[in-house]
Amino acid sequence: MMRVAKIAAIGATAVFAALFVGWWQVDGPGADSAPGKRSLPLTAMEFSLTDQDGRDVGPETLIGEPSLVFFGFTYCPDVCPTTLSDISGWLDEIGPDAEDLNTVFITVDPDRDTVETMAEYVSYFHPQIQGWTGLPDQIAAIADSFRATYEKVEGENGEYTMNHTAGVFLFDATGRFVTTIDYHEPREFAVPKIRRAMQNRTERAES
C-alpha cells in the first residue's frame, strides 16, 4: 500500500512539474519575449479579410471579445482537421460562455480556399468557428502581424501542399496577445488558458 502511495505521489509531482514548466515557458517569466517572435496585439494590426458569409472583417472584428486564431488550409490532410476538432472540443467544454469567444480559422491557401470553400469546411466543426480568406497579399500581411509562417510545397502533377504554423493564437478582449496553444496540447492545459483569457472580459463586465 505504501509503495502504491509513493508511486502516486511521484506521478502527481511529475504532473505538477510538467504544468509548471509549461506555464514558465509559455505564460510565465520564461516565455519568449524576443522582438519579432510574439504576435503583435490586435490593436497594432491592420488587415482586411472576408469571412465565410462574405462579410468584411478586420482587427476590429476581434477586439472587444477574447479570440482564438488558427492558420491553416482546407486541403490540409491532418494538422488542420485535428486542430479544429480539438478547438471544437475546447469550446464544448467551455459551454455557453464559448459564444463570447471569437474563434477564427484563417487560410494560408487563398488560391483554393474561396469564401464558399471556407463556409463548407468550417461547417463540419463547432458552429462558433469562423473561416476567413482573402487575397494572397492580404494573407501575407496578417500572417506577418501574427508572426505566423507558411510556405507552398510543390508536389507532383501540379499538386501542392502548405507548411504552416500549427499553434493556436490566444488574445484577450483588449486585443493583447496572451499565449499560443501548441498543436496537440492536452485539453486540461488548453482550456484553463482560454478561461484565463476570458476572465479579463468577465471582470470588465462586472466592474
Side-chain angles (χ1 to χ4, degrees), residues 27-91:
D27 293 320
D32 184 3
S33 58
K37 291 190 177 181
R38 292 170 64 86
S39 172
L40 296 177
L42 294 173
T43 51
M45 296 186 191
E46 294 183 11
F47 64 84
S48 178
L49 298 177
T50 305
D51 73 7
Q52 75 277 4
D53 296 319
R55 295 173 298 199
D56 293 335
V57 291
E60 68 281 356
T61 308
L62 302 176
I63 297 170
E65 303 284 357
S67 302
L68 283 174
V69 180
F70 173 65
F71 288 83
F73 63 114
T74 65
Y75 283 74
C76 182
D78 44 31
V79 172
C80 301
T82 298
T83 299
L84 291 171
S85 294
D86 287 344
I87 292 173
S88 296
W90 303 342
L91 297 174

Side-chain angles (χ1 to χ4, degrees), residues 35 56 64 66 86 97 108 114 182 205:
D56 293 335
D86 287 344
D97 288 343
V108 296
T114 63
D182 294 330

